[in-house]
């Protein structure tokens, strides 16, 4: 307790502030503040703003204050190149970080590469596999085996339960295609036969025909690679038609956000899906607890996710990572910052981060969790680990998966 109190005080007050002088160091980015990804983008922004406040209380970076300069990308990939061109050519920002999500990060890459900027992205899946840009760094714990990492734990559980067939369904968009490509690799690795493999248009709103088509293929397991609104639609359709595969989930973005958890409530029970962080004993530390206390005290006024587990923490950590690289390199020079990121393990509130090939994490930290015992739509049940169990990987597991998932319905 004493250690936690000291850490909380240090988080809130920082080290004694140094005198700041000169123009602010401007960090520019786009963020999904409207559109389907806004629930996650807004909590990431609040995390970033908390870092901005904290770093300025400590004296800023290199003796200069820090200012975040950002625009709403509207969850629309077509807006992104223009936003980053404006940030660099008109706003003259000193540094940039990525927007949130693969579909928004990918179209920004040509602009960033042309300008030669160091670039830390937020939750981009295998974005740099096509660009091979040496100053790119990914803030997502997918490790070196990026595409399969989202569903590897899902297939591991399926194999342990001797499931033989799998259906794959994905939105026809950058992230979902990448995740589904990884799922195909996992199916081969775990010797599971693919009996259904289809994509659907991103604008799809009625998922009942898709679920019925999957049901007709009679798979043991179903891997869904989807974005938030799709994930909600898919969960509802599965429940409405009474589809009962032995396992379902995998790579459904959105189910990690409190707004969707409370909206779906018991409909989530039994689903096994990816996670990047959970409030288990393995991950809770005084720094992240202090951050969450600050975030949650500001969340209601900011109109954002009240818990901040999914993107609030990571939003803070990815600009924290940039700030520590600037301090370590003692420079705003993009080449020097990139070299520091490549050659150092950097402590953050989310733990130490070390990068490997192509700017991806040296080691994976991806998990699969299973929802259980959710009752009603009350938010408090989602604050701890009572209604979810980490089922993979084994080193992070908090319990065993229940298969078939219908046992938890």
């Amino acid at each position: 307790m004493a250690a936690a109190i000291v850490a909380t005080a240090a988080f809130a007050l920082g080290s004694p502030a140094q005198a700041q002088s000169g123009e602010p160091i401007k960090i520019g980015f786009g963020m999904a503040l409207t559109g389907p990804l806004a629930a996650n983008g807004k909590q990431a922004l609040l995390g970033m703003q908390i870092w901005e406040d904290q770093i300025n209380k400590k004296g800023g970076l290199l003796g200069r204050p820090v200012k975040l300069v950002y625009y709403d990308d509207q969850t629309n990939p077509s807006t992104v190149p223009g936003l980053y061109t404006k940030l660099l050519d008109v706003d003259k920002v000193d540094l940039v970080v990525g927007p949130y999500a693969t579909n928004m990060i990918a179209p920004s890459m040509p602009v960033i590469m042309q300008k030669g900027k160091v670039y830390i992205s937020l939750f981009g899946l295998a974005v740099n596999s096509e660009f091979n840009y040496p100053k790119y760094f990914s803030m997502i714990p997918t490790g070196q085996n990026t595409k399969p990492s989202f569903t590897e734990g899902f297939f591991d559980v399926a194999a342990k339960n001797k499931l033989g067939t799998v259906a794959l369904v994905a939105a026809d968009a950058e992230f979902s295609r990448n995740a589904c490509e990884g799922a195909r690799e996992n199916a081969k690795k775990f010797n599971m036969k693919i009996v259904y493999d289809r994509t659907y248009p991103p604008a799809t709103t009625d998922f009942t025909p898709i679920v019925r088509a999957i049901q007709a293929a009679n798979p043991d397991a179903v891997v869904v690679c989807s974005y938030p609104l799709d994930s909600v639609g898919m969960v509802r359709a599965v429940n409405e038609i009474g589809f009962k595969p032995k396992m379902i989930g995998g790579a459904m973005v959105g189910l990690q956000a409190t707004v969707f958890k409370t909206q779906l409530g018991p409909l989530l029970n039994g689903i096994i899906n990816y996670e990047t962080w959970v409030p288990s004993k393995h991950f809770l530390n005084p720094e992240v607890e202090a951050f969450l206390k600050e975030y949650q005290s500001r969340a209601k006024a900011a109109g954002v996710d009240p818990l901040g587990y999914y993107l609030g923490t990571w939003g803070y950590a990815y600009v924290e990572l940039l700030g520590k690289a600037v301090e370590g390199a003692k420079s705003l020079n993009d080449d020097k910052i990139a070299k520091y990121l490549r050659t150092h393990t950097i402590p953050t509130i989310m733990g130490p981060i070390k990068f490997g090939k192509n700017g991806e994490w040296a080691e994976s930290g991806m998990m699969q969790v299973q929802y259980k015992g959710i009752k009603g739509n009350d938010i408090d049940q989602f604050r701890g680990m009572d209604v979810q169990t980490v089922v993979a990987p084994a080193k992070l597991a908090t319990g065993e998966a229940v298969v078939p998932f219908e046992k938890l319905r």
Side-chain angles (χ1 to χ4, degrees):
M1 184 178 295
I5 292 170
V6 170
T8 301
F11 186 90
L13 301 176
S15 57
Q18 300 173 354
Q20 300 177 24
S21 62
E23 288 293 313
I25 295 172
K26 293 187 285 187
I27 301 174
F29 58 96
M31 188 57 69
L33 303 179
T34 56
L37 293 180
N40 291 336
K42 287 179 179 179
Q43 62 171 304
L45 177 62
L46 178 55
M48 298 170 78
Q49 290 170 329
I50 291 172
W51 174 83
E52 179 186 28
D53 293 344
Q54 298 293 339
I55 200 69
N56 284 329
K57 286 179 181 178
K58 296 177 183 178
L61 294 175
L62 307 180
R64 293 167 58 184
V66 172
K67 180 181 180 182
L68 300 179
V69 180
Y70 58 91
Y71 298 101
D72 178 14
D73 65 31
Q74 303 166 40
T75 318
N76 183 348
S78 67
T79 68
V80 173
L83 294 184
Y84 278 84
T85 299
K86 183 177 187 299
L87 286 164
L88 291 163
D89 291 347
V90 179
D91 298 314
K92 304 292 185 183
V93 297
D94 301 284
L95 302 165
V96 287
V97 290
Y100 158 62
T102 310
N103 294 2
M104 262 49 68
I105 296 164
S108 70
M109 289 294 287
V111 177
I112 301 302
M113 293 169 66
Q114 183 182 21
K115 300 293 185 179
K117 304 298 289 181
V118 67
Y119 202 43
I120 303 173
S121 70
L122 182 62
F123 279 30
L125 177 57
V127 172
N128 207 29
S129 62
E130 300 295 331
F131 296 102
N132 298 306
Y133 181 49
K135 299 178 200 173
Y136 173 90
F137 301 91
S138 183
M139 192 56 143
I140 185 172
T142 47
Q144 291 292 287
N145 202 20
T146 53
K147 294 177 183 179
S149 69
F150 260 78
T151 55
E152 184 175 14
F154 184 94
F155 279 90
D156 186 41
V157 172
K160 288 177 179 177
N161 284 275
K162 297 180 171 51
L163 306 189
T165 59
V166 62
L168 309 178
V169 61
D172 189 10
E174 187 90 13
F175 161 78
S176 306
R177 289 194 301 266
N178 284 346
C180 198
E181 183 180 330
R184 292 187 194 99
E185 292 182 39
N186 285 324
K188 183 177 181 180
K189 173 183 174 181
F190 289 94
N191 197 30
M192 291 187 70
K193 181 181 178 181
I194 299 173
V195 295
Y196 180 98
D197 189 351
R198 299 284 189 276
T199 60
Y200 57 85
T204 299
T205 56
D206 182 5
F207 291 89
T208 301
I210 297 172
V211 173
R212 290 194 183 281
I214 298 171
Q215 186 179 39
N218 194 31
D220 293 328
V222 181
V223 171
V224 183
C225 305
S226 53
Y227 257 24
L229 298 185
D230 313 357
S231 300
V232 172
M234 194 71 72
V235 170
R236 291 193 182 283
V238 165
N239 281 271
E240 285 167 5
I241 72 169
F243 182 33
K244 300 176 182 179
K246 291 182 174 66
M247 287 177 59
I248 188 168
M252 304 175 77
V253 177
L255 302 189
Q256 306 77 15
T258 309
V259 62
F260 297 121
K261 286 179 178 178
T262 54
Q263 186 182 124
L264 293 169
L267 300 185
L268 291 173
N269 284 328
I271 288 175
I272 296 176
N273 197 41
Y274 86 91
E275 259 293 3
T276 56
W277 187 88
V278 294
S280 71
K281 292 180 180 179
H282 182 88
F283 292 104
L284 284 172
N285 60 58
E287 280 190 310
V288 78
E289 287 179 322
F291 166 78
L292 290 171
K293 182 178 180 181
E294 176 69 13
Y295 174 98
Q296 291 168 12
S297 72
R298 295 167 58 163
K300 185 174 181 179
V304 301
D305 185 294
L307 300 183
Y309 290 167
Y310 185 51
L311 259 295
T313 49
W314 291 105
Y316 184 99
Y318 96 125
V319 282
E320 179 191 22
L321 182 75
L322 176 63
K324 289 191 173 180
V326 167
E327 291 173 333
K330 298 179 173 59
S331 174
L332 293 177
N333 179 276
D334 290 278
D335 292 330
K336 292 181 179 179
I337 296 170
K339 181 179 179 181
Y340 191 89
L341 286 166
R342 282 193 296 269
T343 56
H344 289 76
T345 299
I346 301 176
T348 73
I349 64 167
M350 303 303 279
I353 296 173
K354 181 177 177 59
F355 292 102
K357 184 180 177 182
N358 237 8
E360 303 291 350
W361 282 34
E363 295 183 4
S364 174
M366 296 297 290
M367 295 173 283
Q368 289 281 322
V369 304
Q370 185 172 44
Y371 299 107
K372 61 175 186 177
I374 299 173
K375 298 176 181 178
N377 307 95
D378 180 65
I379 188 175
D380 286 335
Q381 64 188 320
F382 297 106
R383 291 187 180 275
M385 296 296 294
D386 290 345
V387 296
Q388 64 180 342
T389 300
V390 179
V391 296
K395 66 180 181 180
L396 301 176
T398 60
E400 295 289 332
V402 176
V403 178
F405 90 116
E406 189 62 22
K407 291 181 179 180
L408 293 177
R409 307 299 279 170

